[in-house]
Amino acid sequence: MSDVIYRHRPVSRRMWLLPVVLWVLATTGLLLTSKVELSRTQVGLAIFGPAGVFGIWLLSLAMLTWRGTVTVTRERLRVGTDQIPLAAIDRDWVQLLATRADPERAARVGAPEIAPERLADKRRGRLLGGSYGATGADDLVTLDIRNDRTGGLERVCIPARDWRGLVIGLVTAVDQRE
């Protein structure tokens, strides 16, 4: 049984197909529109000319997938290359986010007591994963984590298209640790 509770990849599998299909169409178009007999150089240019553009596109998709995938397991939160143990995440903050994601939960459980100055703090903190290009259409989920070096709390942000799913996954993982 897998211990993955929540996973979100910023790039769908269909998005990988688009540059490949366009590359094939561009190569075919270049080969078919040639009015003279094809030489080895023309075939090479028809294949490798569009490959530069579509190769950069594919590399961008690979980087977004690598740096922007959000995974919650029983032990840690992983965003791209950043990993945070669940024990370092402030449980009350996650519970507060869960009451905002699920109003029925707020009615059942109630909101946790959090100091008003923490609630009024609008800082976002550093972006986990470093997938800056993926944050355009995403919501940012802000978490408080314990910093072992300073002993205090540090704010971090997670890009999430499905912020409700991420918060519910975090609540499930944090509750399982208890």
Side-chain angles (χ1 to χ4, degrees):
M1 183 170 113
S2 175
D3 64 345
V4 173
I5 296 171
Y6 173 83
R7 175 172 288 149
H8 174 72
R9 291 183 175 93
V11 178
S12 69
R13 296 188 195 276
R14 283 181 275 157
M15 287 182 70
W16 288 90
L17 191 59
L18 183 61
V20 173
V21 168
L22 290 176
W23 181 10
V24 170
L25 289 175
T27 300
T28 305
L30 287 172
L31 290 173
L32 291 177
T33 57
S34 178
K35 301 218 189 255
V36 294
E37 192 173 314
L38 292 175
S39 69
R40 203 177 241 188
T41 305
Q42 286 176 319
V43 172
L45 286 174
I47 292 172
F48 295 113
V53 173
F54 296 113
I56 291 171
W57 189 353
L58 287 169
L59 186 61
S60 300
L61 292 176
M63 289 302 292
L64 280 174
T65 300
W66 177 51
R67 304 285 283 182
T69 299
V70 178
T71 306
V72 177
T73 64
R74 292 186 182 143
E75 297 296 320
R76 62 187 61 247
L77 165 68
R78 189 172 49 239
V79 183
T81 56
D82 291 326
Q83 296 187 26
I84 298 174
L86 286 180
I89 297 174
D90 184 25
R91 185 179 191 280
D92 289 339
W93 191 265
V94 172
Q95 294 294 338
L96 177 70
L97 291 175
T99 58
R100 291 181 180 169
D102 184 10
E104 291 177 7
R105 180 185 177 88
R108 276 192 330 264
V109 179
E113 292 292 323
I114 294 181
E117 57 271 3
R118 279 182 58 198
L119 291 175
D121 188 4
K122 299 292 184 191
R123 291 178 301 125
R124 288 290 194 169
R126 70 182 173 95
L127 182 67
L128 293 181
S131 182
Y132 301 103
T135 61
D138 294 347
D139 288 328
L140 292 175
V141 176
T142 304
L143 293 177
D144 280 349
I145 59 171
R146 287 175 184 49
N147 189 335
D148 292 335
R149 288 176 283 158
T150 63
L153 293 173
E154 174 188 1
R155 288 260 164 109
V156 295
C157 285
I158 303 167
R161 256 193 205 127
D162 176 26
W163 71 272
R164 282 187 173 92
L166 172 61
V167 169
I168 298 302
L170 281 170
V171 166
T172 303
V174 168
D175 286 346
Q176 284 181 2
R177 287 198 49 82
E178 299 275 321

